[in-house]
Amino acid sequence: MPVVPSNRTDALAFMEAHAVPWATAATELGLTVEQVTEFATKVSAARTSYDAAIAARNASKAATVTWHAGVDDAVALARELVRQIQTTAKASEEPSAIYAAGEIPPPKEPTPLGPPDAPTDLALTLDSEGRANLRFAGSREGGTAFAIQRRTTGADGSTTDWVDLGTVFERSFVDAQTPSGVASVAYRVRAERVGGVSPYSTAAILPLGIQGEAGQVQLGLADAA
């Protein structure tokens, strides 16, 4: 570690602490009067520059606070005036002329939402009452709802058609009528809103066995078709 600190602030403190002792014992330390005089002058100049820098920094912070407050105050009024111009335009027979005179853009026509994305991360568990619990991810934007379907696979490997179970607004569903006596049950979900419907999610399989057992079940994937 160097004797004279690398950090400028620490170095200034070190030099200020040593300027007088070095000048007092210059001959004993092998230093010349010219050296210790030049050193004291440079240390004094460094202190003056440092103090000026701190003062300028504080002034800059204060000026920044002042200009932020001034801009925020003006912005609040500008927004109020824009709202007033928009109100005037709405009541005018020629709204475009009002917007043009105020040099502000007219409000954009709302863009209708298209079909939603398909839900993802469909996960299944079987609770202590033997009911399948579904959880999945999906956007609720635009009042999106979620349609649930189920199909089963019997002990002989035969698979039923997909059956509609209902539509929910939550990203979860409990199948109160979870079938028993089947090898497995599969679920899939799609998102629906005014702009259209999504494809169905990748289906998830809940292995039951002929008897079915309650508890956490490993997630399986099935063909969504």
Side-chain angles (χ1 to χ4, degrees), residues 146-187:
F146 303 99
I148 316 294
Q149 286 192 333
R150 177 189 68 208
R151 73 179 180 187
T152 61
T153 299
D156 59 357
S158 61
T159 302
T160 64
D161 293 332
W162 288 104
V163 176
D164 294 325
L165 298 183
T167 302
V168 297
F169 288 98
E170 299 79 15
R171 286 174 282 259
S172 62
F173 178 77
V174 176
D175 185 2
Q177 304 297 324
T178 302
S180 59
V182 295
S184 65
V185 60
Y187 296 87

Side-chain angles (χ1 to χ4, degrees), residues 64-190:
T64 299
V65 170
T66 299
W67 98 261
H68 282 182
V71 168
D72 292 346
D73 190 39
V75 164
L77 179 56
R79 288 174 175 166
E80 181 181 339
L81 297 180
V82 166
R83 286 192 293 269
Q84 189 169 336
I85 293 170
Q86 291 171 332
T87 300
T88 302
K90 290 177 182 177
S92 172
E93 295 182 359
E94 296 186 22
S96 59
I98 302 300
Y99 290 119
E103 296 188 9
I104 62 173
K108 293 182 179 179
E109 292 294 329
T111 302
L113 291 172
D117 293 331
T120 60
D121 303 325
L122 176 57
L124 305 176
T125 57
L126 197 65
D127 64 22
S128 59
E129 297 181 27
R131 303 176 304 179
N133 287 251
L134 288 68
R135 291 191 176 278
F136 48 88
S139 172
R140 286 276 293 108
E141 185 178 11
T144 300
F146 303 99
I148 316 294
Q149 286 192 333
R150 177 189 68 208
R151 73 179 180 187
T152 61
T153 299
D156 59 357
S158 61
T159 302
T160 64
D161 293 332
W162 288 104
V163 176
D164 294 325
L165 298 183
T167 302
V168 297
F169 288 98
E170 299 79 15
R171 286 174 282 259
S172 62
F173 178 77
V174 176
D175 185 2
Q177 304 297 324
T178 302
S180 59
V182 295
S184 65
V185 60
Y187 296 87
R188 65 181 185 179
V189 186
R190 78 176 182 187

Side-chain angles (χ1 to χ4, degrees), residues 5-93:
S6 299
N7 178 276
R8 290 186 178 89
T9 304
D10 293 341
L12 178 58
F14 172 89
M15 292 186 295
E16 287 180 324
H18 289 78
V20 173
W22 288 359
T24 302
T27 302
E28 182 182 350
L29 297 173
L31 305 175
T32 67
V33 173
E34 290 78 11
Q35 285 177 317
V36 294
T37 300
E38 181 184 7
F39 178 66
T41 300
K42 289 183 179 293
V43 172
S44 178
R47 165 54 65 182
T48 299
S49 298
Y50 174 78
D51 290 344
I54 294 300
R57 186 178 303 166
N58 291 337
S60 175
K61 290 180 180 178
T64 299
V65 170
T66 299
W67 98 261
H68 282 182
V71 168
D72 292 346
D73 190 39
V75 164
L77 179 56
R79 288 174 175 166
E80 181 181 339
L81 297 180
V82 166
R83 286 192 293 269
Q84 189 169 336
I85 293 170
Q86 291 171 332
T87 300
T88 302
K90 290 177 182 177
S92 172
E93 295 182 359

